[in-house]
Amino acid sequence: QVHLVESGGGTVQAGGSLRLSCVASGDAVKTYAMGWFRQAPGKEREHVGVISWNGGFTYYGDFVKGRFTVSRENADNTVILQMNSLAPEDTAVYYCAANEGFELADPNLWAYWGQGTQVTVSS
């Protein structure tokens, strides 16, 4: 079983930055793909950015447009989402996910999820 805990959410003004962290339990997760997804009220959960087990491959949602970066530190079982140039439409609950396979953008194929952290961007 993999347990994921996110932190770093909050409220920020448009144009600002936030850094989300996700700590995963268990050494097995070092070989898992990890990713960030988000869900705004009334919308489906969508892919933000995912990273392969060794950090060698990343894949971002189209809306990211170079503003966000996903990275991981396997020594600490941690995955980071650095978000810059935030806009009000980025307001959502952000979730960390892990999976043995690299399932890219489909959240339905990811096995393990954190509880989520709220990000609110004010205009």
Side-chain angles (χ1 to χ4, degrees), residues 38-41 87-94 118-122:
R38 70 183 188 182
Q39 189 165 18
E89 52 265 35
D90 294 316
T91 294
V93 177
Y94 283 69
Q118 177 70 46
V119 170
T120 302
V121 185
S122 61

Side-chain angles (χ1 to χ4, degrees), residues 5-78:
V5 178
E6 304 99 334
S7 62
T11 300
V12 64
Q13 289 191 329
S17 298
L18 278 176
R19 185 175 185 266
L20 306 185
S21 297
C22 171
V23 179
S25 64
D27 285 340
V29 76
K30 293 184 189 340
T31 63
Y32 285 20
M34 298 190 74
W36 290 92
F37 294 77
R38 70 183 188 182
Q39 189 165 18
K43 294 188 176 181
E44 293 186 351
R45 191 168 297 190
E46 65 176 344
H47 150 249
V48 178
V50 299
I51 187 167
S52 60
W53 72 273
N54 63 355
F57 183 79
T58 54
Y59 180 70
Y60 296 95
D62 290 340
F63 65 88
V64 169
K65 297 180 180 177
R67 301 180 299 136
F68 300 174
T69 303
V70 178
S71 60
R72 67 188 295 165
E73 292 290 341
N74 278 350
D76 300 325
N77 284 0
T78 300

